[in-house]
Amino acid sequence: MKYKYQGDFKQKKKQGWALNLYRNTQKGYIGGVCAGLADHFDIDTWVVRLAVFGGFLFLGGFTVMAYIGLWVFLDPKPDYEDIEYEYDERHHTYRPKKMFKYAESASARLHKAKDKLNTIAASVTNMERHVTSRKFDLNRQFSDLKDD
């Protein structure tokens, strides 16, 4: 007996749950779950493996069950052409679709904002210097004479 949502489940699984979330069997040791999660979150594979090992030490069977569950719920990574892409406005390019949007770190964004504010402050300083100069005052007086 087929359930109503069985085809929907298989389709979503095949499409990476609309997040490009797959197992990477080429870089993986057992099932490719850690390598797939590392690819998805753009971090090194060893970090995910260390987190899983730490989870196994502290949570035991729960981590094993979660790993097996992800092994079942994630399809192996398809060919390069089958991956879903989205347009990244900030970098003006297409990138693989991920769970989180691509963003720079907070410190990098703060540094860019600081640079923009410094540029604006320099422009305002130059404008004030020009407006308060004698040359500007003289040019304004000459333009007032032309109008009369």
Side-chain angles (χ1 to χ4, degrees):
M1 177 176 161
K2 266 193 165 178
Y3 292 103
K4 180 180 176 183
Y5 299 106
Q6 188 175 4
D8 192 35
F9 173 81
K10 287 182 180 180
Q11 186 68 22
K12 285 183 178 182
K13 180 179 173 183
K14 186 176 181 179
Q15 293 173 347
W17 301 100
L19 299 171
N20 283 336
L21 190 57
Y22 299 101
R23 289 186 289 124
N24 188 342
T25 54
Q26 294 174 347
K27 292 193 316 188
Y29 287 137
I30 298 174
V33 173
C34 291
L37 290 174
D39 287 346
H40 179 74
F41 291 110
D42 288 330
I43 55 177
D44 291 332
T45 307
W46 68 269
V47 174
V48 178
R49 289 184 180 135
L50 184 66
V52 168
F53 180 73
F56 178 72
L57 288 178
F58 293 108
L59 302 173
F62 178 75
T63 304
V64 173
M65 295 304 290
Y67 189 91
I68 292 171
L70 285 172
W71 194 340
V72 170
F73 281 100
L74 299 179
D75 254 8
K77 190 173 188 177
D79 293 336
Y80 187 75
E81 303 88 39
D82 295 339
I83 295 175
E84 191 174 342
Y85 286 85
E86 65 183 352
Y87 188 71
D88 183 7
E89 289 285 335
R90 195 169 295 127
H91 294 97
H92 304 292
T93 185
Y94 284 92
R95 295 182 177 212
K97 188 174 182 182
K98 303 276 177 143
M99 183 181 302
F100 302 111
K101 297 290 180 189
Y102 290 96
E104 297 169 328
S105 66
S107 61
R109 289 181 293 186
L110 187 61
H111 184 68
K112 281 186 177 181
K114 182 181 175 184
D115 288 344
K116 285 181 182 180
L117 285 175
N118 287 340
T119 303
I120 292 169
S123 296
V124 169
T125 302
N126 288 337
M127 193 180 337
E128 286 177 345
R129 188 176 301 133
H130 176 70
V131 170
T132 58
S133 69
R134 289 182 181 180
K135 183 179 177 183
F136 179 79
D137 191 37
L138 185 61
N139 286 340
R140 190 176 51 157
Q141 289 176 0
F142 277 131
S143 68
D144 287 344
L145 288 175
K146 286 181 188 178
D147 291 338
D148 290 338

